[in-house]
Each structure stands twice: as C-alpha cells, then as structure tokens.
C-alpha cells in the first residue's frame, strides 16, 4: 500500500500520523526540525508546545475544550494519551511537562512499525508521486511551503500579523440595552436589514472607554520579518492613540442607527457586533482587533452598555499566523479543492490552539487512512466538538471572506443549540440561577456530543466490518 505523507510533526501532524498508522496504513512523517528551526520552536522533538504548557480545562461536562479532550480520548488520540501520562498539577486544567510530553509523542511514533520519519524541509509543493499528503506545517510553516500552497489557492497571502477581534456569545448580550439594526437599515446579501447588534455609548461613557484603551496594558509581540499586516486590521488602541475622536469616526461611528430603547437620544458612539457563525450563536466585535492583554480586554469591553455580562468565545490578539481561507479553499473532507491529494490539518486550517490543532489532525488522519483503504468515512456530526470544529472551518463560518474568517478555539457556540430550552429547575425543585442554567445546558450539550460521537464511531466500525 502506498504511504500517506504527513508534513510537520507538530500537534496536528503527530496525531494524524498516529491515526493513519493505527488504521493499518503506512505513513511517512516529514519534520524539518532540528535541521531547520522555526521562530518559536526550541527543540527537535515532535509536538513541541511553543508557549504555554496547558491543554486548558479538562472538564468535559461544562467546558468545550474539556469535551474535545474526552472525544479525542475515545478515539485513541496519541496527543491525549501522552498528555495524560505527562500531567502536572493544574487544578481543573490539563497541564503537562512539555519535555516529557514531546518525548512520549516522539518515542511512540518512532517505535510504530508503520511510521517512517524523515527529517528535512518539504520546500515547495510535495512531489507528484506522493498521492496522499497531509500538510500540517502549522502557523509558522516554512516560507517555501507556504508560498507554494498560496500559489494553488489564488489567495494574496497566507501569513499575516493577525490582529484579531473578540467574539461574544450572543446569549450573553443584554438586549434591553442593545438592539438589532444594520446601518441605514441596509439589507445584506441574506436580505436581513437587522444583521448587526448595536451597543450605544453616551459622551461620558465614550470618553472613559477611550481613556481605558489608552491606559490599558498591551501585549508585546515578536516582530517576524517580511510578513504583511492584515488589511485594515489596525488595533483599536492604536486608533485611540491617533486622536480621541478617531474611533467615533471609525468603527464606533453612530451614523445610520436609531436606538429603539431611547429613540429621542442620538447615541454618541456605537459598538457593532456582527454575526460570526451560521448558527447565530456568536457575534464578533466589528473593528475591535486589539493587542490589549486579555484581562484588560474583558474588563474594558464589559464597560460597554449591553456587554456588562459578555461571555467571550475568544479575546483579541496579535501574532503571526499562516492559515488558509478554509471555508473557501477546502472541501468538507479537509482536501484542497484545487489539488485534492493535499489534505490540511492543524492551525493552518484556521483552528486555534494545541488541542484544536491535534483534533483536526486526528480527523484528517482518519479521513486519509479511510481513503487509502477504499472505505467511506463521514466526518463526525456537528453536535460533537470534533464535528463542530470541522464544520466551522469547512463551511459553518459565514461568508468565508478573507476579512472575516479568523482562527477559532472550540467553544459551545460552534455546536447547534439544544432542541429544548434546558432545565429551569434543579433536581431539588429549586429555580436555577442563570449561571446554573448555563452550566446545565453545557452538560446536556456535552452528553449529546459523546452519545453522537459513539454512534459515529460505531457506525464506522460496522462499515469497516461489512
Ligand atoms: C508563538 C506562538 C505561541 C502559541 N502559543 C500557544 C499556546 O500557548 N497555547 C495554545 O493552545 N496554542 C498556542 N499557539 C497556537 C497553536 O496551537 C500552536 O501553534 C500549535 O502548535 C499548532 O499546531 P500545528 O500542529 O498546527 O503546528 P505546529 O505544532 O507548529 O507543527 C508544525 C510542524 O511543522 C514543521 N514544519 C513547518 N514547515 C515545514 C516544512 N516545510 N517541512 C517539514 N516540516 C515543516 C514545524 O517544524 C512544526 O514541527 C501558539 C502559536 C504561536 C505561533
């Protein structure tokens, strides 16, 4: 059987290679380190964690990344097995000893009889005789490979200094203060004239907000060479530095909007949020890309009327990132439409985070192995965390335009809401508080996810047996 070639032994590539090998298919894993390093990696080990040592919450019942852990464990994930075996104390989070973790992943892959490791950069398009390839070269993919892929996609660029805007869970926005309306009631392509959620600020609130932006602590970022700024992504605090009125004439301009809660009072400034996913559960803060520190972001953005109780699915940030405009260029099985022998996995597909990158590696590996074996494999249902992530990058995100598709962590907003409203009372009959209701809903979504994942996995098993 011809091998599947995996480019990059990071979080995604290591998981993909493991899944392929475990499915009985030979795999060649290409890693350029230590022969050629990236700006962030320090070792030649596989699955090196470049920054924090945390896989975040391990609570599968109430936390979406914890749910992703649970789903991956059920599917025999190497990254989760090595993470569990290298755990260090971190409360409810799964944190690991990074060297022990990387050593485990490296040893298990090198010892696998169906895995061949080749050290060296794949410096351009993979040779045409590689009939099945997974590109898992990460956010710091070598420029030669990134450039070759860019040539196939027709996009202007793949690597950016990314200034990303925060994303808010729609249900946490106070609609007794905010309202739905598009500027000048203009209908969008979907025919909706109320596509935005608007939050009004009066003169004093605006002045205090601008001052908080100027005073707030900012993150430093590493200056990589030759990477363009993402179009029109000037951080809001940089705009605020240019003049107190700049934001009011830019992303916070109040024109063409009428606050139905106070129709006689013209808002001094308005923060707009735009629907971010097809489900309508997530909204991004338009033009609010920022490099303020995360704690300061939550604090300052919650001073905006309507966002006092905002729950953030993602906070803003600024960093180099190489990623595809996946909703446009990938098919539903993570293959490049322009060259389907190339499948993509990891952060380069537009997911964010160690666990999410490994999760896409897991699915890409299984899809590639099934294809090699002549079996049909569907991606997991969108009610699972794994399926929701794949759906987000291959089509769940609205528009798919370069200006709007941004890397995303897993969160419950990517999963379809429950059919029922969720429990209002606890087992003791007591009325649940909003926080308790939120937790109960998450638990029900997690239970639904694990049930649907098991059904998907057993369907696959029975297909294989047939
Ligand atoms: C500076 C920085 C800090 C981050 N911090 C965090 C964090 O704290 N927590 C978090 O959850 N996420 C973090 N991320 C985001 C992301 O989760 C990680 O980058 C994650 O490692 C992505 O997994 P991956 O497998 O897609 O890429 P990687 O883990 O980067 O793996 C890609 C691999 O491909 C190899 N490679 C690249 N090009 C080639 C080529 N042409 N030929 C052969 N091999 C190649 C690289 O050497 C690397 O080993 C950070 C990202 C960056 C850039």
């Amino acid at each position: 059987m011809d091998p599947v070639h995996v480019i990059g032994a990071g979080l995604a590539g290591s998981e993909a290679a493991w899944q392929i090998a475990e499915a009985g298919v030979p795999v060649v894993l290409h890693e350029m380190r230590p022969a050629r390093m990236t700006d962030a990696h320090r070792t030649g080990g596989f699955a090196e964690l470049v920054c924090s040592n945390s896989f975040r919450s391990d609570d599968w019942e109430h936390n979406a990344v914890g749910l992703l852990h649970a789903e991956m464990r059920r599917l025999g994930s190497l990254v989760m097995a090595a993470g569990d075996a290298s755990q260090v104390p971190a409360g409810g989070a799964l944190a690991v000893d990074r060297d022990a973790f990387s050593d485990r992943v490296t040893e298990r892959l090198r010892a696998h009889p169906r895995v061949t490791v080749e050290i060296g950069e794949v410096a351009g398009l993979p040779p045409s005789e590689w009939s099945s390839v997974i590109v898992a070269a990460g956010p710091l993919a070598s420029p030669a490979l990134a450039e070759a892929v860019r040539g196939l996609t027709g996009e202007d660029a793949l690597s950016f200094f990314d200034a990303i805007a925060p994303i808010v869970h729609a249900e946490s926005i106070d609609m007794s203060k905010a309202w739905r309306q598009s500027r000048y009631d203009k209908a969008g392509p979907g025919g909706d004239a109320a596509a935005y959620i608007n939050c009004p600020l009066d003169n004093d609130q605006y002045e205090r907000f601008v001052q908080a932006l100027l005073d707030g602590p900012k993150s430093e970022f590493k200056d990589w060479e030759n990477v363009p700024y993402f179009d029109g992504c000037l951080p809001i605090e940089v705009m605020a530095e240019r003049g107190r009125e700049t934001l009011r004439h830019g992303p916070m301009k109040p024109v063409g909007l009428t606050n139905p809660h106070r129709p006689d009072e013209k808002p001094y400034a308005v923060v707009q949020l735009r629907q971010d996913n097809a489900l309508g559960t997530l909204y991004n803060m338009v033009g609010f890309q920022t490099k303020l520190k995360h704690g300061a972001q939550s604090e300052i953005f919650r001073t905006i009327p309507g966002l006092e109780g905002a729950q953030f699915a993602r906070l803003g940030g600024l960093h180099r990132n190489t990623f595809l405009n996946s909703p446009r260029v990938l098919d539903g099985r993570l293959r490049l439409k322009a060259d389907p022998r190339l499948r993509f996995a990891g952060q380069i597909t537009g997911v964010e985070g160690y666990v999410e990158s490994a999760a896409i590696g897991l699915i890409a590996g299984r899809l590639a192995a099934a294809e090699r074996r002549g079996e049909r494999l569907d991606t997991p249902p969108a009610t699972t965390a794994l399926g929701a992530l794949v759906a987000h990058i291959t089509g769940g995100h609205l528009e798919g335009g370069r200006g709007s598709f941004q890397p995303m962590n897993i969160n419950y907003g990517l999963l379809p809401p429950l059919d029922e409203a969720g429990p209002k009372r606890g087992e003791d009959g007591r009325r649940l508080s909003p926080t308790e209701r939120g937790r109960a809903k998450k638990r029900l979504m997690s239970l639904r996810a694990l049930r649907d994942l098991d059904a998907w996995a057993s369907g696959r098993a029975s297909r294989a047996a047939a």
Side-chain angles (χ1 to χ4, degrees):
M1 197 187 291
D2 257 4
V4 176
H5 292 261
V6 176
I7 304 176
L11 276 297
S14 296
E15 185 65 55
W18 180 257
Q19 295 287 333
I20 295 165
E22 286 288 279
V25 174
V27 54
V28 182
L29 180 56
H30 303 263
E31 171 52 57
M32 66 178 186
R33 292 176 294 113
R36 184 186 168 129
M37 299 299 283
T38 76
D39 287 313
H41 291 84
R42 297 282 164 261
T43 74
F46 297 170
E48 178 183 333
L49 306 178
V50 286
C51 187
S52 120
N53 66 332
S54 174
F55 288 179
R56 315 194 322 270
S57 171
D58 201 29
D59 173 3
W60 69 268
E61 288 174 286
H62 307 109
N63 189 292
V65 79
L67 173 62
L68 196 53
H69 293 172
E71 292 183 8
M72 291 170 70
R73 285 186 183 112
R74 276 166 137 90
L75 299 178
S77 158
L78 171 63
V79 163
M80 289 312 301
D84 288 337
S86 321
Q87 200 167 351
V88 294
L94 173 58
V96 305
D97 173 320
R98 68 182 72 237
D99 294 327
F101 168 72
S102 168
D103 288 350
R104 274 201 169 86
V105 173
T106 310
E107 279 158 22
R108 292 198 69 187
L109 282 167
R110 282 190 178 277
H112 201 293
R114 280 183 291 280
V115 177
T116 308
V117 174
E118 284 193 7
I119 299 298
E121 178 188 358
V122 178
L125 277 190
S128 55
E129 58 271 23
W130 297 3
S131 56
S132 174
V133 181
I134 295 180
V135 181
L140 307 172
S142 77
L145 177 61
E147 199 45 36
V149 170
R150 189 188 64 76
L152 283 179
T153 62
E155 298 281 336
D156 295 339
L158 287 186
S159 298
F160 306 97
F161 273 130
D162 252 355
I164 56 178
I167 292 184
V168 178
H169 285 280
E171 62 183 13
S172 69
I173 302 173
D174 180 354
M175 295 305 290
S176 70
K177 292 184 182 158
W179 75 97
R180 286 178 191 275
Q181 184 186 13
S182 299
R183 219 179 277 287
Y184 300 111
D185 298 315
K186 231 172 155 172
D192 189 351
Y196 290 80
I197 293 180
N198 303 282
C199 300
L201 286 87
D202 64 23
N203 193 338
D204 284 350
Q205 288 163 335
Y206 177 78
E207 286 298 328
R208 280 201 297 274
F209 180 72
V210 169
Q211 195 57 48
L213 291 180
L214 294 174
D215 295 343
K218 325 283 186 307
S219 313
E220 301 299 323
F221 69 98
K222 192 169 172 188
D223 207 347
W224 282 277
E225 278 180 68
N226 302 325
V227 178
Y229 259 99
F230 198 47
D231 276 358
C233 264
L234 217 49
I236 42 165
E237 60 279 0
V238 176
M239 281 190 252
E241 279 163 17
R242 294 187 173 176
R244 298 195 84 85
E245 290 293 291
T246 307
L247 282 168
R248 221 169 72 77
H249 294 289
M252 294 178 74
K253 60 178 177 284
V255 298
L257 296 165
T258 307
N259 181 355
H261 307 298
R262 296 181 175 201
D264 303 329
E265 222 175 90
K266 193 100 197 104
Y268 190 73
V270 171
V271 173
Q272 286 205 301
L273 295 101
R274 182 177 45 219
Q275 189 174 334
D276 197 74
N277 64 341
L279 294 172
T281 49
L282 301 173
Y283 275 71
N284 73 65
M285 298 178 69
V286 181
F288 263 56
Q289 49 279 350
T290 175
K291 53 177 176 152
L292 280 168
K293 290 216 157 135
H294 282 179
Q297 285 184 42
S298 318
E299 199 176 304
I300 296 171
F301 296 152
R302 286 189 184 127
T303 66
I304 297 167
L307 300 188
E308 295 88 343
Q311 293 298 320
F312 294 95
R314 184 191 74 196
L315 285 160
L318 191 66
H319 58 99
R320 181 198 167 195
N321 206 350
T322 302
F323 64 98
L324 297 169
N325 186 4
S326 296
R328 188 168 290 165
V329 304
L330 296 187
D331 69 13
R333 288 163 189 272
L334 302 168
R335 291 172 301 203
L336 196 66
K337 289 178 192 162
D339 188 353
R341 84 191 163 105
L342 304 183
R343 188 171 252 117
F344 284 78
Q347 182 121 344
I348 202 167
T349 63
V351 294
E352 171 98 20
Y354 300 145
V355 184
E356 289 84 343
S357 297
I360 297 297
L362 186 154
I363 297 297
R366 287 190 166 221
L367 288 169
E371 207 172 77
R372 255 295 174 265
R373 296 169 61 100
E375 294 166 3
R376 187 188 155 77
L377 178 65
D378 292 323
T379 51
T383 46
T384 63
L386 281 161
L389 263 187
V390 175
H392 178 71
I393 57 178
T394 60
H397 181 272
L398 283 184
E399 298 174 58
R402 216 352 144 183
S404 65
F405 180 65
Q406 289 289 346
M408 178 66 106
N409 285 127
I410 185 67
N411 63 78
Y412 284 104
L414 295 182
L415 278 68
L418 295 167
D419 292 336
E420 66 275 23
K424 291 201 169 53
R425 294 184 185 276
E427 279 166 15
D428 54 3
R430 187 176 52 85
R431 215 178 159 71
L432 298 177
S433 70
T435 313
E436 289 168 327
R437 279 224 302 278
R439 279 174 67 78
K441 260 168 75 178
K442 285 176 179 166
R443 185 161 183 279
L444 288 177
M445 288 172 93
S446 290
L447 287 168
R448 177 184 67 176
L450 293 182
R451 183 198 64 204
D452 291 357
L453 185 84
D454 287 346
W456 173 81
S458 64
R460 182 180 157 272
S462 60
R463 259 197 310 279

